Amino acid sequence: MAKRFVLTLVLIFFAVVTVAAQSGIGFGPQIGIYKSQDADGARVMPGVALRLKFSELLGIEGSINYRQEEYTSRFATVTAKSWPVMVTGLLYPIPVLYGAIGAGWYNTTIDYKYNFPPGYLGGPTTISSETKQEFGWHFGGGVELPLGSVAKLVGDVK
């Protein structure tokens, strides 16, 4: 029962529901998997995507995702929050396979918090956060499989 529930959730997150099957407009939830260089394991990064298909060969996708990582030591906690905003051009050599190239605006906020014991240097202290914004390019490819007439299962690597 638990495996079926998890599988259903995964399919819901990967499905991009088409607003009108003939129009080439798709909108839906998105889920990504990432592993930071110094992290112990992979994490999930949820988001949303809007996909427009102009013809059998060309499309475009806009997406925004969110991830949060926390690093803790004895006296400090660092929380990193990231929300990339991406626009990706799609080229379909065959109807279910596409190549992707695009640009992203990568936003990262880092919060620092010192966890000193009460009475030691004033106890817990939060230092103001800092936010960085960077522009970058991405490329990759993927598959877009129809799930009936109103939904698609999309998987890609960027």
Side-chain angles (χ1 to χ4, degrees), residues 12-103:
I12 288 170
F13 279 120
F14 276 103
V16 176
V17 178
T18 304
V19 174
Q22 304 304 325
S23 71
I25 299 172
F27 177 77
Q30 182 177 73
I31 189 168
I33 307 293
Y34 74 94
K35 182 181 180 296
S36 295
Q37 190 172 18
D38 295 330
D40 293 335
R43 297 241 173 133
V44 174
M45 182 169 55
V48 294
L50 173 66
R51 188 171 281 209
L52 304 170
K53 199 166 179 183
F54 302 117
S55 70
E56 293 294 320
L57 292 175
L58 296 174
I60 192 168
E61 177 185 86
S63 64
I64 183 167
N65 297 34
Y66 177 81
R67 74 180 196 193
Q68 180 174 320
E69 300 171 275
E70 192 169 279
Y71 302 94
T72 304
S73 69
R74 184 172 175 198
F75 292 117
T77 300
V78 176
T79 304
K81 300 172 190 168
S82 178
W83 58 99
V85 178
M86 296 180 283
V87 176
T88 306
L90 307 169
L91 178 63
Y92 293 84
I94 60 176
V96 297
L97 184 68
Y98 61 89
I101 186 165

Side-chain angles (χ1 to χ4, degrees), residues 119-135:
Y120 182 78
L121 295 178
T125 305
T126 301
I127 295 178
S128 62
S129 61
E130 66 178 277
T131 299
K132 294 182 180 182
Q133 299 172 338
E134 294 183 27
F135 178 84

